[in-house]
Amino acid sequence: MLTAVDVLVIYLPALGAARDRSPATVNPLLTARAVAAITSRLMLGPVTRRLGRRTVLVTSLLLSSAAMATVAASTTPWVAAVALVLAGLGLGVGQPVSMAWISESAPPTLRATALSLRLAGNRLGQTFIPVAIARPRPPRAHLGVFATIAAWLAAVSATAR
């Protein structure tokens, strides 16, 4: 999920440029995603207590996957805005829920080690996934980037489930 946020921030301007959208259109879209991520964290405690961590994580991954696919398919800024708000809501809960899940799952004596491994995995993903996506691509390949991230988020959701 962390890498999906990074890729979204990097490739959304490319997608906007390919669709003849100005930075004045793309910047509010990125802002909407960020505000939605903050909002999702404000609601996270009550929602997690009610539904459980696994359900919240799996649902947020599925929501993020569908939103990223919609961003790729959207032809109007308004559809992209709605999709990015949904992506923000989904992607915003990944970090705190996964940290809490790992903290709760690991024995107290191994908790720091488990969280360190999680952080190392995040850094590896942040390094290698964008490199894998950024290989030379034909024009309009940014659509494939969003589709790839959507597919990866769906796969991670299935694994977490």
Side-chain angles (χ1 to χ4, degrees):
M1 292 179 96
L2 187 60
T3 302
V5 172
D6 291 345
V7 169
L8 176 65
V9 169
I10 292 166
Y11 280 95
L12 189 64
L15 179 64
R19 293 186 173 158
D20 295 322
R21 305 258 187 324
S22 71
T25 301
V26 174
N27 287 340
L29 295 174
L30 289 169
T31 301
R33 194 239 14 115
V35 169
I38 292 167
T39 302
S40 72
R41 289 182 180 190
L42 293 173
M43 302 180 306
L44 187 56
V47 170
T48 302
R49 280 190 293 280
R50 182 178 178 145
L51 301 175
R53 280 192 188 101
R54 182 182 309 266
T55 300
V56 170
L57 185 61
V58 169
T59 302
S60 68
L61 284 160
L62 287 172
L63 177 64
S64 301
S65 174
M68 293 294 269
T70 302
V71 167
S74 67
T75 57
T76 66
W78 291 109
V79 172
V82 171
L84 286 163
V85 166
L86 294 174
L89 290 171
L91 293 170
V93 302
Q95 187 265 346
V97 170
S98 66
M99 280 186 67
W101 194 356
I102 289 170
S103 293
E104 185 179 272
S105 300
T109 57
L110 295 175
R111 196 164 286 151
T113 301
L115 289 170
S116 295
L117 287 171
R118 176 194 167 278
L119 182 60
N122 282 344
R123 297 299 178 253
L124 285 171
Q126 285 178 298
T127 301
F128 293 111
I129 291 173
V131 169
I133 289 173
R135 69 183 189 277
R137 296 178 173 272
R140 304 187 59 79
H142 48 276
L143 298 175
V145 169
F146 285 95
T148 300
I149 292 296
W152 284 347
L153 287 168
V156 171
S157 175
T159 302
R161 186 174 178 274

